[in-house]
Amino acid sequence: MIVFGDSLTSGENNGFVSFADYLGIEKRGISGSCLDEYSIYPVFNGGLLSQLHDFNGTVLLEYGINDAASLVTGYVSLATIMISVAKVYDIVKDAYFLMLTDNDEDLIKLSENYAKYLNEEYLQGLDKISADEFFASYLRFSRLMQRKFKTLYLLPAGFNEFDTDMIHPNDKGYRLIAKHLEDQMKRLPITW
């Protein structure tokens, strides 16, 4: 089993220790990465499609936050994301999409935090992104992924173990995510 993803997989904010490490799963996490080469962040050759190879076993796909940021800013179209999802599925079919949460209240709170980061830091003075727009973009991405891949959820309901940026989990949060994923995977025919 291997997990591909962005900074939530790399654990960059936590000394490069994430939920994958606590599960004992091989990881390939690149901060700012997306399914394909359309990140709004300076990530070069970091899209999933540039690293994905044939693997024996299950693949976990932890993407969406940066894909949604690229979509909400207009940097990429929904059609481009749709084709990227199709390309990924063409390469690897035994995969699970790791959606942030199935709890709308928690996702709205995360969307507020991410929109705040975009507006006050990354895109400061360039653009204004509403939390509602980001929320809608993340759901659009997630719905496309769910059409092709089975879904597991990263965050347990009411998750509030964030680092100071209120986007990335802290160490306790990564441990809680690992436990939440483990509980879900135990009910499935997945071995790791």
Side-chain angles (χ1 to χ4, degrees):
M1 178 180 286
I2 187 169
V3 58
F4 288 94
D6 55 32
S7 58
L8 295 183
T9 294
S10 75
E12 186 173 323
N13 69 301
N14 192 44
F16 292 95
V17 176
S18 77
F19 66 90
D21 299 287
Y22 291 123
L23 285 169
I25 297 173
E26 182 182 351
K27 68 179 183 183
R28 298 215 184 132
I30 300 173
S31 184
S33 65
C34 298
L35 290 183
D36 210 341
E37 301 296 330
Y38 52 71
S39 181
I40 64 171
Y41 302 107
V43 179
F44 306 101
N45 298 317
L48 173 64
L49 285 166
S50 67
Q51 350 166 23
L52 197 56
H53 307 287
D54 293 327
F55 290 98
N56 294 324
T58 304
V59 176
L60 304 179
L61 303 170
E62 182 275 308
Y63 291 93
I65 294 174
N66 302 316
D67 302 85
S70 295
L71 181 60
V72 75
T73 58
Y75 188 65
V76 68
S77 70
L78 189 60
T80 299
I81 290 176
M82 177 187 65
I83 297 303
S84 296
V85 170
K87 288 178 181 179
V88 170
Y89 185 73
D90 194 44
I91 296 171
V92 59
K93 291 175 179 53
D94 185 18
Y96 286 82
F97 166 50
L98 301 183
M99 186 172 175
L100 286 171
T101 179
D102 61 349
N103 182 300
D104 281 352
E105 289 179 22
D106 290 345
L107 190 54
I108 288 167
K109 190 167 108 179
L110 279 165
S111 297
E112 289 168 354
N113 294 340
Y114 198 80
K116 181 179 179 184
Y117 162 73
L118 288 174
N119 293 330
E120 295 180 8
E121 294 184 43
Y122 195 70
L123 298 176
Q124 183 181 27
L126 298 174
D127 200 1
K128 277 285 192 197
I129 305 300
S130 77
D132 289 342
E133 291 171 323
F134 183 82
F135 176 81
S137 293
Y138 184 79
L139 286 181
R140 284 184 191 108
F141 174 83
S142 297
R143 287 184 185 123
L144 289 172
M145 291 292 283
Q146 289 174 315
R147 288 181 188 167
K148 291 292 189 180
F149 303 105
K150 299 162 274 191
T151 303
L152 297 171
Y153 299 96
L154 281 173
L155 309 177
F159 184 87
N160 201 29
E161 291 297 331
F162 291 101
D163 206 342
T164 56
D165 65 4
M166 297 306 291
I167 297 169
H168 296 88
N170 58 27
D171 188 64
K172 182 179 178 184
Y174 282 119
R175 290 175 189 271
L176 289 171
I177 290 168
K179 175 72 172 114
H180 188 59
L181 283 171
E182 181 179 25
D183 290 345
Q184 293 170 78
M185 291 189 294
K186 281 181 180 176
R187 295 188 291 260
L188 300 169
I190 299 176
T191 55
W192 73 97

